[in-house]
Amino acid sequence: MSEQKAGFIAVIGKPNAGKSSLLNWLLDEKIAMVSKKANATRKRTNAIVMHGLTQFIFIDTPGIHESERLLNKFMLEETIKAMGDADLILFLLPATDSLQSYKDFLSKEPKTPHVVLLTKCDKVTNKKLLEKLSEFEPYKSNFKTLIPISVKHKNAKNYLLNELQKFIPKHPYFYDPELISTQMMREIYAEYIREAVFEFVSDEVPYSSHVIIDKVEESEKLDKVYATIIVEKENQKNILIGQGGKTIKKIGIYAREMMEKIVNKQIFIKISVNCSRNWTKNEKILTKLGLFVNKKAFFMIQ
Ligand SMILES: Nc1nc2c(ncn2[C@@H]2O[C@H](COP(=O)(O)OP(=O)(O)OP(=O)(O)O)[C@@H](O)[C@H]2O)c(=O)[nH]1
Ligand SMILES: [Mg+2]
């Protein structure tokens, strides 16, 4: 018992840095939604990873970016909360990017110690990677360590976890070591449907969509999932449904496949689409959907 370590790690970085992909990679399980499009993650998600006698709780966060939209303020607040609660921050920067987002992060004078992860290293040559690593030289008194990774390289996981272990305090496990997340299965289902929306529908529609799991009926061999996608405008509803229901069908199939994989059961899925005018800007509706904005906390970091 006394050898056990456990700690919370906030995974942060600008939209599209690879935060959600990192969680899935660490778990070897698809728990967080991933998209080519930026600003995919809306709410904090967690992945519980056991490594020897250490229990890591990785907290995925929405990418840090500035925006006036009320919903985006909620997303920023989610990230700030995760940083405040963490023992360690993992700051992610794609190897292809400039250091600007890291400099912005440092300018906020984070109190929690941090490790920098240079992500998507498979996308650059070794020479470029070395150049990028050397760009961090002037900042080395700020971070604990700097680690290049790629989710395409499975064998890097042990190295990463060995390194991170050093910064986790001795503490009894917070959760049952068998658990991979405290997320409810219905929250994961909702994220799968959101990922499908990001995959098949372009422009503003994914950002104007919210997924509610209305009901899950479980039985031994088959789960029935009833979901509603809320959009902001009537025309977005038409886009999501598609001609003769083509698009919503594709969304359903894509999400269903991921659901079947994670629960190892057959899934029946029914998705309805509803319009709730301008919900992303409406405080009352956001609160109802659990996407509440605490303005005080937001202004603290302005
Ligand atoms: N080539 C390559 N692509 C990656 C890697 N990690 C992530 N990606 C891709 O980068 C894109 C963004 O990944 P996400 O994990 O959704 O990024 P995120 O930081 O969670 O983004 P937000 O939720 O929008 O803040 C996706 O298309 C991923 O497939 C990597 O190591 N190598
Ligand atoms: Mg994400």
Side-chain angles (χ1 to χ4, degrees), residues 75-288:
M75 287 158 68
L76 186 56
E77 198 190 308
E78 284 287 278
T79 302
I80 294 157
K81 272 192 220 148
M83 291 198 319
D85 297 342
D87 298 291
L88 183 73
I89 291 173
L90 263 191
F91 185 90
L92 269 60
L93 181 87
T96 46
D97 276 22
S98 86
L99 264 61
Q100 193 52 50
S101 65
Y102 182 58
K103 291 179 196 167
D104 293 343
F105 166 70
L106 286 184
S107 73
K108 301 247 162 38
E109 299 179 359
K111 309 267 180 303
T112 310
H114 68 273
V115 164
V116 179
L117 282 197
L118 211 49
T119 58
K120 310 191 188 182
C121 285
D122 57 286
K123 285 182 128 180
V124 294
T125 59
N126 276 347
K127 184 168 171 274
K128 269 265 165 337
L129 182 58
L130 287 173
E131 278 169 19
K132 193 49 79 184
L133 290 170
S134 64
E135 280 183 50
F136 277 92
E137 196 57 29
Y139 304 100
K140 69 176 181 203
S141 61
N142 294 287
F143 55 80
K144 293 282 180 195
T145 181
L146 169 62
I147 306 171
I149 62 145
S150 159
V151 297
K152 308 235 157 144
H153 304 148
K154 287 262 175 258
N155 48 8
K157 215 153 50 179
N158 254 336
Y159 175 76
L160 175 64
L161 294 176
N162 281 340
E163 282 301 301
L164 297 183
Q165 209 169 26
K166 298 174 187 165
F167 310 108
I168 301 300
K170 274 198 179 147
H171 192 282
Y173 299 153
F174 287 101
Y175 300 103
D176 177 345
E178 294 291 311
L179 215 60
I180 62 162
S181 177
T182 64
Q183 289 307 100
M184 307 276 286
M185 195 46 81
R186 53 170 60 213
E187 293 176 87
I188 297 175
Y189 285 168
E191 286 297 279
Y192 287 169
I193 298 174
R194 284 193 61 232
E195 177 171 319
V197 172
F198 269 73
E199 184 70 21
F200 295 112
V201 189
S202 54
D203 302 327
E204 88 290 359
V205 182
Y207 303 104
S208 299
S209 303
H210 180 74
V211 177
I212 298 171
I213 303 294
D214 302 309
K215 192 167 60 169
V216 179
E217 288 173 359
E218 291 185 47
S219 63
E220 203 184 322
K221 289 213 174 95
L222 176 86
D223 283 2
K224 292 183 180 171
V225 180
Y226 298 89
T228 304
I229 305 179
I230 298 172
V231 290
E232 288 192 289
K233 295 175 191 152
E234 277 304 320
N235 76 315
Q236 295 173 340
K237 187 171 159 179
N238 297 337
I239 296 172
L240 260 187
I241 294 169
Q243 242 183 7
K246 209 168 79 188
T247 311
I248 198 72
K249 194 168 170 206
K250 277 201 273 187
I251 290 171
I253 292 170
Y254 182 97
R256 192 188 68 207
E257 276 174 10
M258 290 191 279
M259 292 174 187
E260 287 183 339
K261 218 164 161 188
I262 199 157
V263 290
N264 210 5
K265 260 193 220 180
Q266 255 191 316
I267 298 279
F268 162 86
I269 183 168
K270 183 169 187 307
I271 307 176
S272 320
V273 185
N274 274 346
C275 177
S276 169
R277 279 213 158 269
N278 295 326
W279 71 265
T280 59
K281 300 179 196 88
N282 185 317
E283 206 165 321
K284 262 197 194 138
I285 302 177
L286 284 168
T287 307
K288 242 172 144 176

